[in-house]
């Protein structure tokens, strides 16, 4: 399965444009996508409930019952994601749990050195993604130890290729993007990377093969590039799902898969065949026991008749002896 965990969304996005983008993503081969709502600083400090403005389109079955939201095969499975732009982490840490409950995926976009270090190692719960604006000059250096701390905690770094392919950026911003990508790959050694599009429309989407070739030019090998859109992105979705559905974010109870009609028919035939074999085996065992008992009885009778003084005399032998005695008495 292929994943694109960043389809840009804003309140001005019309439903027709959004549906067109999702249909085109499904045509390109993406099975799971995430609509991204970016929240810029400052994040409100008031403990008000977080409202999720993203539309609920073709959600995965664990998040909603199939009867209330039927799946649409022409659209990919759609998740709802929020990206928080972090400048001062002291005013954001305690609000992460509220955003985690309201959205399916949580991503952080730090803009300062202090915010980047906090996002990598000091959050109350590790975020699913750290997404950087790679088209702008970063005010901090991506150190290997800091980046690998985030990777070991289960956080992935996101590269959005549409930032470099958008027609609205100039050559300088595109060169800055490539330099930041090389710096990120050098710090992580290609581990813990997730590739998304951050496309604002269908024209900014690219096929998986084109993205892998583009990443190979930027320094990420084809195998790791394919993994960044496959198993790496899937790990983020699974981990975030366990945090929301599981017991304390560790144990997840899922419904076992239902058997198909053919599997049920095969299992029923095996049960009936086992019952028939057991019945035939019981008949053979019963007949053998009866034959064995009859043979033992005959053998006992013959043994009693041939040996004198061993056990009770049989009626046949007593009758014969009585007849012989009467013949002997008559002859005398």
């Amino acid at each position: 399965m292929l994943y694109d965990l960043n389809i840009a969304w804003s309140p001005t996005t019309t439903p027709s444009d959004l549906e067109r983008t999702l249909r085109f993503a499904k045509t390109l081969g993406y099975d799971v996508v995430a609509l991204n709502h970016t929240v810029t600083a400052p994040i409100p400090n008031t403990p008000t409930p977080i409202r999720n403005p993203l539309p609920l389109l073709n959600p995965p079955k664990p998040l909603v019952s199939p009867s209330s939201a039927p799946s649409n095969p022409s659209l990919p499975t759609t998740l709802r994601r929020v990206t928080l732009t972090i400048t001062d982490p002291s005013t954001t840490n305690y609000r992460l749990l509220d955003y985690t409950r309201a959205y399916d995926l949580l991503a952080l976009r730090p803009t300062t050195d202090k915010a980047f270090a906090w996002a990598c190692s000091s959050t109350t719960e590790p975020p699913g993604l750290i997404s950087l604006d790679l088209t702008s000059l970063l005010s901090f250096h991506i150190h290997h130890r800091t980046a690998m701390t985030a990777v070991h905690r289960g956080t992935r770094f996101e590269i959005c290729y549409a930032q470099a392919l958008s027609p609205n950026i100039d050559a300088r911003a595109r060169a800055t993007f490539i330099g930041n990508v090389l710096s990120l790959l050098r710090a992580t050694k290609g581990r813990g990377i997730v590739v998304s599009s951050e496309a604002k429309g269908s024209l900014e989407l690219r096929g998986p093969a084109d993205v892998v070739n583009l990443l190979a030019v930027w320094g990420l090998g084809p195998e790791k590039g394919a993994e960044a859109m496959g198993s790496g992105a899937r790990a983020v979705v699974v981990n975030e799902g366990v945090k929301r559905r599981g017991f304390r974010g560790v144990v997840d109870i899922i419904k076992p898969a239902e058997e198909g009609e053919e599997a049920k028919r095969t299992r029923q035939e095996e049960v009936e065949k086992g019952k028939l074999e057991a019945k035939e085996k019981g008949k053979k065992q019963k007949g053998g026991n009866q034959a064995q008992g009859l043979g033992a009885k005959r053998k006992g009778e013959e043994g009693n008749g041939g040996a004198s003084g061993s056990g009770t005399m049989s009626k046949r032998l007593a009758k014969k002896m009585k007849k012989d005695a009467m013949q002997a008495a008559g002859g005398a």
Side-chain angles (χ1 to χ4, degrees):
M1 295 179 66
L2 296 177
Y3 294 75
D4 187 354
L5 300 183
N6 194 341
I7 299 292
W9 180 90
S10 64
T12 59
T13 304
T14 60
S16 59
D17 293 341
L18 180 60
E19 185 176 357
R20 187 184 305 111
T21 303
L22 295 179
R23 288 181 183 275
F24 188 65
K26 181 67 174 181
T27 304
L28 292 177
Y30 295 102
D31 302 295
V32 180
V33 300
L35 299 180
N36 182 27
H37 179 215
T38 302
V39 179
T40 58
I43 296 175
N45 297 329
T46 57
T48 57
I50 304 300
R51 187 180 65 87
N52 189 342
L54 291 171
L56 190 63
L57 300 173
N58 207 30
K61 290 184 179 180
L63 299 180
V64 67
S65 60
S67 59
S68 60
S71 60
N72 189 352
S74 63
L75 297 178
T77 301
T78 306
L79 304 174
R80 299 190 292 178
R81 161 186 164 175
V82 61
T83 301
L84 303 179
T85 303
I86 306 300
T87 302
D88 184 9
S90 61
T91 60
T92 311
N93 192 17
Y94 74 97
R95 298 304 308 269
L96 292 182
L97 185 58
D98 297 334
Y99 282 98
T100 301
R101 293 171 179 171
Y103 292 85
D104 302 329
L105 299 177
L106 174 66
L108 301 180
R109 176 162 289 183
T111 58
T112 61
D113 190 7
K114 181 180 179 181
F116 180 74
W118 169 79
C120 291
S121 59
S122 302
T123 55
T124 53
E125 289 189 3
L129 293 169
I130 294 179
S131 179
L132 302 175
D133 185 8
L134 301 178
T135 58
S136 61
L137 293 174
L138 300 178
S139 61
F140 53 90
H141 181 69
I142 303 177
H143 296 280
H144 170 71
R145 182 176 298 179
T146 306
M148 293 311 298
T149 300
V151 173
H152 293 156
R153 296 180 72 199
T155 303
R156 301 292 190 271
F157 289 93
E158 184 182 41
I159 298 176
C160 301
Y161 61 83
Q163 294 178 356
L165 302 180
S166 175
N168 298 326
I169 67 171
D170 54 0
R172 181 61 181 172
R174 189 173 290 109
T176 303
F177 176 87
I178 296 175
N180 289 330
V181 169
L182 294 177
S183 177
L184 180 60
L185 295 179
R186 190 182 303 113
T188 60
K189 297 183 179 180
R191 290 178 291 181
I193 298 296
V194 170
V195 178
S196 304
S197 64
E198 199 174 357
K200 298 179 177 62
S202 58
L203 295 179
E204 297 182 3
L205 289 173
R206 295 295 184 271
D210 296 337
V211 176
V212 171
N213 293 334
L214 191 62
L215 292 172
V217 174
W218 291 340
L220 189 64
E223 294 182 358
K224 291 186 177 180
E227 182 181 352
M229 294 186 296
S231 59
R234 181 183 181 275
V236 175
V237 175
V238 172
N239 291 339
E240 292 296 302
V242 171
K243 288 180 183 178
R244 290 155 178 78
R245 298 190 309 269
F247 175 71
R248 294 185 178 180
V250 178
V251 181
D252 190 13
I253 302 176
I254 60 176
K255 182 180 178 181
E258 297 181 357
E259 293 182 340
E261 295 297 332
E262 185 176 356
K264 291 181 180 180
R265 192 183 309 110
T266 304
R267 186 165 57 86
Q268 186 65 23
E269 291 177 356
E270 291 178 355
V271 171
E272 293 178 357
K273 184 178 179 181
K275 290 181 179 180
L276 184 60
E277 291 179 354
K279 188 175 181 180
E280 294 293 337
K281 186 177 180 180
K283 289 182 179 180
K284 292 181 180 179
Q285 186 176 2
K286 184 177 180 180
N289 293 338
Q290 291 179 354
Q292 185 178 1
L294 183 59
K297 183 177 180 181
R298 291 179 179 177
K299 185 176 179 181
E301 291 179 355
E302 292 177 357
N304 292 335
S308 59
S310 60
T312 307
M313 183 181 299
S314 63
K315 294 182 179 180
R316 183 179 179 184
L317 183 59
K319 189 176 180 180
K320 184 178 180 181
M321 292 178 66
K322 183 178 179 181
K323 185 177 180 181
D324 292 342
M326 291 178 63
Q327 289 180 358

